[in-house]
Amino acid sequence: MIDEGYVKYQCHWVNSPSITREEIEDLNQWRNQFYQLGLIGQYDNGIGFGNVSIRCLDNPHQFIISGTKTGGLEQLTEKQYTLVTDYNWQENWLTCRGLIEASSEALTHAAVYTANPNINAVIHVHHLQLWKTLMNKVPTTAENIPYGTPEMAQEIIRLCQMGNLKEAKILVMRGHEEGIIAFGRNLDEAGNLLLLMFKQNDYELIKN
Ligand SMILES: [Zn+2]
């Protein structure tokens, strides 16, 4: 079941420029790298997948995230990112300001930030083989929890509080086929972890 691309929360969107090129430079470099690897992209049915975010260090409740329906675009600019200014994942709403609405998975990112004050970057990708490899080897969300719902946010917070996720910094979304989330104290930590997992997985497949 691949149902990404549909925003399930209530989005209060202020359509106004709010992101500078400098603010998203590193984030966009990582995003484009994962696009090149096929971990962010678009399915044949036209639905995009994969999204990235960074916490705003001057306001820890806010974060910048790639916009909705951007997965299939080869290159993004600051126009395809938006600033999440407020949210409440229990009540299933968020407010964002930018030239595009936030990704359908923005509240999942919000849950990671809420549960981990030291985490400042979140990368969500899709990859069937890596998803299968990592399932139950790293913290894995319970079955039948769909993406982009308060239940998924609650489940991620539960996993984060179990402790091992603090070291692992990667989780599998079992009820969201192909879905993986990596995060870190900064972008490089999150990006390099995911890259390492991806390359190791490739290597194991070749070896076997
Ligand atoms: Zn997804």
Side-chain angles (χ1 to χ4, degrees):
M1 177 195 64
I2 291 162
D3 61 350
E4 188 135 332
Y6 166 58
V7 175
K8 296 178 180 179
Y9 55 82
Q10 208 185 346
C11 185
H12 309 286
W13 174 35
V14 182
N15 187 348
S16 150
S18 67
I19 310 282
T20 65
R21 187 180 301 181
E22 292 72 36
E23 280 175 312
I24 52 104
E25 200 173 1
D26 293 344
L27 183 60
N28 204 32
Q29 266 176 20
W30 275 110
R31 185 269 172 202
N32 290 338
Q33 191 172 347
F34 285 117
Y35 179 92
Q36 296 301 332
L37 293 169
L39 295 160
I40 291 174
Q42 185 171 306
Y43 294 112
D44 291 342
N45 61 8
I47 293 176
F49 58 85
N51 33 72
V52 296
S53 73
I54 42 169
R55 193 197 290 267
C56 297
L57 296 179
D58 54 346
N59 187 337
H61 185 62
Q62 302 188 341
F63 59 94
I64 294 172
I65 188 165
S66 48
T68 184
K69 300 185 178 73
T70 59
L73 303 174
E74 190 175 347
Q75 297 280 340
L76 302 189
T77 72
E78 65 274 18
K79 294 187 177 116
Q80 279 102 22
Y81 289 86
T82 195
L83 176 68
V84 175
T85 53
D86 198 10
Y87 57 83
N88 185 316
W89 57 265
Q90 293 100 327
E91 294 172 8
N92 209 24
W93 61 263
L94 72 73
T95 306
C96 64
R97 196 169 72 230
L99 298 175
I100 192 167
E101 281 189 67
S103 152
S104 56
E105 251 153 333
L107 283 177
T108 304
H109 290 240
V112 176
Y113 291 126
T114 301
N116 304 284
N118 298 325
I119 293 305
N120 297 308
V122 177
I123 300 175
H124 168 58
V125 297
H126 281 210
H127 192 273
L128 183 60
Q129 194 54 53
L130 188 57
W131 180 76
K132 287 179 177 169
T133 300
L134 294 177
M135 178 135 0
N136 297 324
K137 294 199 184 79
V138 301
T140 299
T141 62
E143 220 160 345
N144 300 326
I145 298 180
Y147 91 94
T149 59
E151 290 74 26
M152 179 61 85
Q154 175 66 62
E155 175 67 353
I156 284 171
I157 286 175
R158 183 186 73 82
L159 286 178
C160 289
Q161 284 164 352
M162 284 173 67
N164 52 346
L165 198 51
K166 284 199 175 70
E167 285 94 55
K169 293 193 173 68
I170 189 161
L171 70 88
V172 165
M173 303 163 94
R174 192 202 315 245
H176 179 43
E177 194 174 337
E178 304 194 357
I180 299 160
I181 298 178
F183 47 90
R185 282 165 296 181
N186 53 50
L187 262 174
D188 286 349
E189 189 178 49
N192 284 321
L193 169 65
L194 193 54
L195 213 50
L196 180 71
M197 295 286 174
F198 179 69
K199 286 179 176 165
Q200 273 178 354
N201 185 58
D202 254 14
Y203 173 74
E204 292 297 323
L205 288 177
I206 293 163
K207 205 175 64 177
N208 294 325

